[in-house]
Amino acid sequence: MQLEQTLVLIKPDALKNSSTGYILSLFSELHTGLRFAGLKVAHVHRMLAEEHYAEHKGKIFYPELIDYIMGKLHHQDSPDRRRVIAIVYEGHDAVRKVRDLAGPTDPNTAREEKPGTIRTLGAVIPVTPTDGRPPFHRMDNLIHASATLQEAEREIKLWFKPNDMVPGMRHFPTAEAAEHYYFLNDRVYTCHKPNSTCLLTPGDIAWKSDIEILEACVGQESPQVLLRCVAAKYLLNYRIAE
Ligand code: ADP
Ligand code: MG
């Protein structure tokens, strides 16, 4: 069977409830045969949140979902406590094993149909928006888990640089940057611009697919959508987000 990798996020509600140890125990190598390939504590800024949940843009629950993963719902008055723990697990059948232990998206469904799964500990909270959207229920469900192998690759590359991961456990091709890449206002430059962020310097190791996107975006005038999924991880833990 193929050795897989999958991304888990321990979301802000789980950190606030001190469920981290319980979740890590359930996923432990003893129980699942899965191993850590990468792990970090992350203060999630808006660009990363929006990239992570891009498939849900436009849905009724999207604005609250972004605030949720940014930690704004669970730490309204203490931005410095807004964190998630991001983990890459590796092992046989990793995507399915982790999804099975996570349980159904809706914590009520988890309690009804999959007792013992992590999301049974979640909360379903009524929301009445004041911006014209109809009422709906928020699903605070403690963890994110990649749903497919394809999603796992996209998400691992979004949250982790190659050097954040154990060298022998990088599943995706890497390449060496040949230039400086600076990011400013959704554009990439190879020369420094005031207030820009330096994403890569020559010799840095990055995902090959990221370098290809950066190369394709250099000199492009219009904002590059793909660029955000590369830049987002370099802005992780950069400064406290709004
Ligand atoms: P999963 O996290 O199980 O992969 P989705 O990708 O469909 O589920 O949704 C991402 C997250 O958005 C969920 O974990 C949950 O927090 C929230 N969510 C999903 N569907 C709804 C919904 N119908 N109403 C409110 N929140 C939702
Ligand atoms: Mg999903």
Side-chain angles (χ1 to χ4, degrees), residues 153 157 173-179 181 188 200 206-218 220 224 226-227 229-230 234:
E153 176 170 348
K157 287 177 176 174
T174 58
E176 212 173 279
E179 306 194 74
Y181 293 102
V188 67
L200 288 170
W207 301 120
K208 187 163 178 281
S209 53
D210 281 1
I211 292 191
E212 285 165 0
I213 290 170
L214 290 171
E215 279 172 354
C217 290
V218 171
Q220 297 279 344
Q224 296 294 305
L226 272 176
L227 187 55
C229 68
V230 176
Y234 291 94

Side-chain angles (χ1 to χ4, degrees), residues 57-210:
K57 192 167 186 182
K59 295 182 182 169
I60 287 175
F61 58 84
Y62 178 76
E64 282 73 14
L65 180 60
I66 297 301
D67 285 351
Y68 169 33
I69 201 69
M70 289 180 73
K72 296 173 89 169
L73 300 179
H74 293 87
H75 293 290
Q76 284 177 10
D77 300 324
S78 9
D80 47 320
R81 296 184 65 193
R82 296 173 188 165
R83 289 155 302 147
V84 305
I85 294 177
I87 308 166
V88 179
Y89 280 110
E90 174 176 308
H92 296 297
D93 212 11
V95 172
R96 185 196 58 79
K97 279 183 184 166
V98 168
R99 285 290 287 195
D100 283 356
L101 282 168
T105 307
D106 183 333
N108 287 338
T109 309
R111 284 186 277 272
E112 284 293 320
E113 298 176 9
K114 297 284 177 190
T117 56
I118 293 165
R119 284 165 159 183
T120 60
L121 301 178
V124 178
I125 296 168
V127 178
T128 309
T130 53
D131 57 6
R133 286 175 295 149
F136 67 96
H137 285 83
R138 231 171 67 200
M139 293 176 191
D140 296 359
N141 54 10
L142 286 92
I143 68 163
H144 166 82
S146 308
T148 63
L149 260 185
Q150 198 182 15
E151 198 174 286
E153 176 170 348
R154 187 188 82 84
E155 293 175 352
I156 290 166
K157 287 177 176 174
L158 177 62
W159 287 83
F160 286 81
K161 305 172 198 174
N163 288 353
D164 296 331
M165 295 178 63
V166 176
M169 295 173 112
R170 295 169 196 157
H171 279 203
F172 315 114
T174 58
E176 212 173 279
E179 306 194 74
H180 285 93
Y181 293 102
Y182 297 94
F183 181 73
L184 180 67
N185 297 333
D186 279 335
R187 293 191 193 172
V188 67
Y189 303 89
T190 49
C191 297
H192 179 256
K193 301 277 172 195
N195 301 318
S196 66
T197 307
C198 184
L199 306 182
L200 288 170
T201 58
D204 284 349
I205 301 296
W207 301 120
K208 187 163 178 281
S209 53
D210 281 1

Side-chain angles (χ1 to χ4, degrees), residues 5-33:
Q5 289 186 343
T6 190
L7 181 85
V8 167
L9 301 178
I10 301 183
K11 294 178 174 181
D13 48 338
L15 282 166
K16 189 168 184 179
N17 297 340
S18 283
S19 308
T20 310
Y22 175 68
I23 293 167
L24 292 177
S25 294
L26 288 182
F27 286 138
S28 71
E29 188 174 355
L30 192 66
H31 289 151
T32 61

